[in-house]
Amino acid sequence: MNQIDEWGKDPSVQIMRRVFKAMEAAQARLLHELGISLYDLRIRAWREKALALFERAWVSANRIGLDIDECFAYDIYIYAMAEAIYQDGIEVPSDLLPAGEEVKRVFSDLRVGN
């Protein structure tokens, strides 16, 4: 019996799959650049904090009228993950963060909205 993946054909599902893939790539790149093992026990807590911040950033980006594609999702997840790591006392060099003004705008909007 052949079952067709109807979900896989839905454009919104395809977009979200690309967004999640971008988030995973962002996390792997950041951890690699910081020299942190993928087996580090702190990663789970960082991911939970980063996800919560990412979700808030997504809402903020929508509120200020920014379009979110997988590239932008990658950028805001890098910022969110870096913030979670920084809160745990690990310095994250600014050159590892995306330089885009839109990302900075989203996070400054979050800080104002706190």
Side-chain angles (χ1 to χ4, degrees):
M1 178 158 130
N2 290 336
Q3 290 187 334
I4 298 173
D5 180 12
E6 292 298 322
W7 277 99
K9 292 181 180 181
D10 184 330
S12 63
V13 171
Q14 290 175 355
I15 289 168
M16 289 310 300
R17 286 180 178 170
R18 288 193 302 267
V19 166
F20 288 128
K21 186 176 181 179
M23 290 167 63
E24 289 174 357
Q27 175 184 289
R29 177 185 164 264
L30 184 61
L31 293 174
H32 174 75
E33 293 292 328
L34 292 173
I36 297 172
S37 168
L38 294 175
Y39 302 105
D40 192 305
L41 297 177
R42 299 170 294 181
I43 292 175
R44 182 178 183 159
W46 294 340
R47 289 181 74 185
E48 290 171 1
K49 288 178 186 177
L51 181 57
L53 187 53
F54 176 83
E55 290 170 346
R56 289 179 47 219
W58 186 290
V59 169
S60 178
N62 281 325
R63 183 175 49 245
I64 60 179
L66 299 174
D67 291 324
I68 301 176
D69 60 8
E70 58 268 19
C71 293
F72 193 63
Y74 178 97
D75 288 351
I76 61 175
Y77 191 76
I78 283 272
Y79 261 84
M81 188 66 162
E83 179 63 25
I85 292 169
Y86 177 77
Q87 288 177 6
D88 209 19
I90 297 173
E91 193 67 35
V92 179
S94 61
D95 64 331
L96 295 182
L97 301 175
E101 290 303 315
E102 291 179 331
V103 175
K104 293 176 184 175
R105 184 174 167 204
V106 167
F107 282 88
S108 69
D109 185 57
L110 285 179
R111 287 183 195 100
V112 170
N114 279 341

